[in-house]
């Protein structure tokens, strides 16, 4: 009995009298409230805006019919009565104008990621072996070498992890300030300024030259409006916008000419910017320097193991050869001699691993970020320095995209 009036309303458009009763008995969930009060769903709005189909917009009753479907008005915007509950019903049905950022990386995760480096793994194994054998041979001072290697590994990991963690927090704070702009909206018939994160579906936004469109919308009226949609579509030419033939506005694009008003239809993850950002959230790839260091670590480990295994086999063969030639029987106390041969082989592996290389690379990259910060360039990750330093060609499709930000007199008269 609860769902029957709602189906009549959608199919026959005769459920206006049953809608209040339907809402009164429905459970207080966002989906049931949205279905009872909003005629158009978020999916319908998203499909309409992605299709850019003007005919489909006309079938919905034009911009005024669309505004009625989202409980708004092209002149007065969202009714002031909805602000009493902070627009909770509207937010629950259409969402908010905020793309969920990726979860922040914790310091422990950065440390664990740093320990996955093959060179550092080799150093840790060598340090543990050095500790065990060193304490076995000389309990008073045999632990020094292994402990020194572990401290070097700890310094490398902590310097890199702390730098990335600090820069990550700074970048998040900067992005929050940079993106949190004020926009002009009409709510309850009055124009006001609200945060871009407070924009909702059904808001009427006043657009002026130079504004960055903060949500997907449809033009209500305009005067000689042109938009730069190259950021979203790659089209370098300015696109003329008008309510009749080209009313669809894309979030993230800039208004280069004209003024107008638009009705917000998609926000947050449902907008063009939200879908684009969702596609861009891919796992990072290894930098060229990381790939080279991995190859170097593999080669060092391979050469070190081959050399140590060769020496161990030769020493053991020489030992048993001497026993055979002299006719001396093998006794249990001779095991200590074989252990020394093994220690010699392990020492070769430990010496072959360059324990200072990761630390030197990390310190040099950290120093590079400090130097770049003096030039007002905040580097988010250490590896970005070596990635930029390894660039051989910079491709640009527009004249003047990359400049020195300096003007020079080239001709005078």
């Amino acid at each position: 009995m609860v769902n029957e009036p709602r189906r009549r309303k959608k199919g026959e458009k005769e459920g206006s009298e049953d809608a209040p009763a339907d809402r009164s008995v429905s459970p207080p969930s966002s989906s049931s409230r949205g279905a009872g009060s909003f005629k158009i769903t978020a999916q319908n709005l998203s499909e309409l805006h992605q299709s850019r189909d003007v005919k489909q917009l006309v079938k919905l009753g034009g911009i005024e019919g669309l505004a009625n479907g989202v409980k708004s008005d092209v002149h007065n915007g969202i009714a002031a009565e909805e602000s009493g509950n902070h627009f909770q019903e509207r937010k629950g049905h259409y969402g908010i104008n905020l793309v969920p950022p990726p979860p922040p990386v914790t310091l422990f995760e950065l440390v664990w990621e740093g320990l996955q480096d093959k060179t550092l793994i080799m150093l840790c194994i060598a340090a543990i072996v050095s500790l065990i054998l060193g304490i076995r041979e000389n309990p008073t001072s045999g632990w020094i070498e292994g402990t020194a290697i572990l401290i070097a590994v700890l310094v490398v990991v902590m310097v890199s992890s702390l730098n990335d963690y600090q820069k990550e927090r700074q970048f998040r704070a900067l992005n929050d300030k940079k993106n949190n702009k004020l926009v002009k909206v009409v709510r309850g018939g009055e124009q006001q300024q609200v945060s871009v994160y407070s924009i909702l579906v059904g808001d009427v936004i006043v657009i002026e030259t130079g504004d960055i469109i903060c949500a997907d919308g449809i033009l209500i009226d305009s005067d000689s409006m042109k938009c730069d949609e190259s950021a979203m579509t790659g089209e370098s030419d300015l696109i003329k916008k008008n309510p009749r033939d080209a009313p669809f506005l894309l979030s993230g694009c800039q208004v280069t000419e004209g003024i107008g008003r638009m009705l917000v239809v998609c926000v947050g993850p449902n907008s063009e910017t939200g879908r684009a950002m969702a596609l861009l959230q891919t796992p990072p790839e290894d930098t060229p320097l990381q790939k080279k260091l991995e190859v170097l670590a593999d080669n060092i480990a391979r050469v070190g193991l081959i050399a140590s295994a060769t020496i161990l086999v030769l020493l053991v063969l020489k030992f048993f050869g001497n026993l055979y030639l002299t006719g001396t029987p093998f006794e249990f106390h001779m095991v200590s001699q074989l252990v020394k041969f093994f220690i010699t082989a392990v020492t070769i592996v430990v010496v072959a691993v360059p324990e200072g290389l990761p630390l030197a690379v990390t310190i040099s990259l950290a120093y590079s970020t400090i130097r770049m910060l003096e030039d007002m360039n905040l580097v988010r990750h250490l590896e970005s320095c070596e990635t930029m330093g390894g660039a051989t060609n910079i491709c640009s499709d527009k004249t003047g995209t990359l400049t020195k930000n300096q003007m020079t007199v080239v001709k005078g008269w």
Side-chain angles (χ1 to χ4, degrees):
M1 295 300 292
V2 174
N3 293 330
E4 185 64 27
R6 187 180 300 123
R7 287 200 295 268
R8 281 205 307 271
K9 178 180 177 181
K10 181 177 180 182
E12 302 176 3
K13 301 182 180 179
E14 295 178 356
S16 59
E17 296 181 0
D18 296 330
D22 182 57
R23 287 195 299 268
S24 63
V25 296
S26 297
S29 64
S30 61
S31 59
S32 62
R33 289 197 306 266
S37 57
F38 295 99
K39 299 178 183 178
I40 304 178
T41 64
Q43 183 178 359
N44 296 144
L45 292 174
S46 180
E47 292 174 354
L48 171 64
H49 197 273
Q50 290 185 59
S51 66
R52 317 280 199 274
D53 190 353
V54 179
K55 294 181 180 180
Q56 183 65 27
L57 177 61
V58 174
K59 289 181 181 180
L60 293 174
I63 188 65
E64 293 185 356
L66 189 63
N68 291 332
V70 296
K71 291 183 60 179
S72 182
D73 183 80
V74 295
H75 301 290
N76 300 321
I78 301 175
E81 290 77 9
E82 289 194 39
S83 61
N85 63 348
H86 303 288
F87 308 98
Q88 290 301 322
E89 184 178 358
R90 187 175 296 271
K91 291 178 181 178
H93 188 62
Y94 292 115
I96 60 176
N97 194 32
L98 177 64
V99 179
V105 182
T106 63
L107 181 61
F108 177 78
E109 291 175 340
L110 291 174
V111 172
W112 178 255
E113 182 180 353
L115 289 173
Q116 305 307 309
D117 184 79
K118 291 183 179 180
T119 305
L120 297 182
I121 293 175
M122 290 173 55
L123 287 174
C124 290
I125 295 174
I128 294 173
V129 174
S130 178
L131 276 174
I132 296 174
L133 298 180
I135 295 175
R136 180 186 177 89
E137 284 191 341
N138 188 359
T140 57
S141 60
W143 56 271
I144 296 178
E145 183 178 353
T147 304
I149 297 175
L150 290 177
I151 292 176
V153 171
L154 181 63
V155 171
V156 170
V157 173
M158 293 306 299
V159 168
S160 178
S161 301
L162 288 174
N163 183 83
D164 288 348
Y165 182 71
Q166 181 182 8
K167 296 299 185 295
E168 178 75 18
R169 295 182 61 185
Q170 292 177 353
F171 256 81
R172 285 183 176 270
L174 288 176
N175 286 333
D176 290 341
K177 290 184 178 180
K178 176 176 68 74
N179 297 329
N180 189 12
K181 300 178 181 179
L182 296 178
V183 294
K184 297 178 181 179
V185 300
V186 178
R187 289 179 178 174
E190 296 182 358
Q191 181 173 307
Q192 53 186 284
Q193 286 188 329
V194 299
S195 169
V196 66
Y197 298 130
S198 301
I199 295 298
L200 302 170
V201 171
D203 270 327
V204 175
I205 299 181
V206 179
I207 306 173
E208 299 176 350
T209 302
D211 288 347
I212 302 294
I213 301 174
C214 59
D216 292 347
I218 298 178
L219 266 181
I220 301 173
D221 51 56
S222 64
D223 183 11
S224 304
M225 180 178 290
K226 293 183 179 180
C227 292
D228 179 10
E229 297 183 350
S230 59
M232 301 303 297
T233 64
E235 179 60 49
S236 58
D237 296 334
L238 299 181
I239 307 299
K240 294 181 180 180
K241 297 293 182 178
N242 61 78
R244 182 175 181 179
D245 301 322
F248 298 97
L249 300 178
L250 308 182
S251 59
C253 300
Q254 185 177 25
V255 179
T256 56
E257 297 180 19
I259 57 175
R261 295 185 306 145
M262 81 168 189
L263 177 70
V264 177
V265 295
C266 296
V267 295
N270 296 324
S271 64
E272 292 288 342
T273 301
R275 289 190 292 270
M277 293 183 65
L279 295 175
L280 292 175
Q281 293 180 1
T282 56
E285 298 180 355
D286 291 338
T287 63
L289 181 59
Q290 289 175 332
K291 294 179 180 178
K292 292 178 181 178
L293 287 178
E294 287 186 2
V295 174
L296 177 62
D298 292 339
N299 293 336
I300 290 175
R302 189 179 298 109
V303 173
L305 288 175
I306 293 175
S308 61
T310 303
I311 292 177
L312 178 61
V313 170
L314 292 177
L315 289 176
V316 171
L317 290 177
K318 179 182 177 182
F319 175 76
F320 283 102
N322 290 333
L323 291 181
Y324 177 76
L325 294 177
T326 58
T328 305
F330 180 81
E331 298 179 0
F332 181 76
H333 66 85
M334 297 181 181
V335 175
S336 60
Q337 188 65 29
L338 297 178
V339 172
K340 290 182 179 180
F341 295 158
F342 179 75
I343 294 175
T344 302
V346 171
T347 303
I348 294 175
V349 177
V350 173
V351 172
V353 177
E355 62 271 10
L357 179 60
L359 180 60
V361 172
T362 303
I363 292 177
S364 63
L365 292 178
Y367 178 73
S368 300
T369 61
I370 297 175
R371 291 293 302 273
M372 295 187 70
L373 186 60
E374 295 176 357
D375 294 333
M376 307 303 293
N377 291 320
L378 181 58
V379 181
R380 188 174 185 179
H381 298 290
L382 285 179
E383 57 267 18
S384 300
C385 290
E386 61 94 1
T387 302
M388 291 185 292
T392 56
N393 293 283
I394 299 178
C395 303
S396 176
D397 63 341
K398 295 186 181 73
T399 303
T401 301
L402 302 174
T403 65
K404 294 182 178 180
N405 197 26
Q406 297 177 357
M407 297 182 67
T408 305
V409 177
V410 296
K411 186 177 181 181
W413 58 89

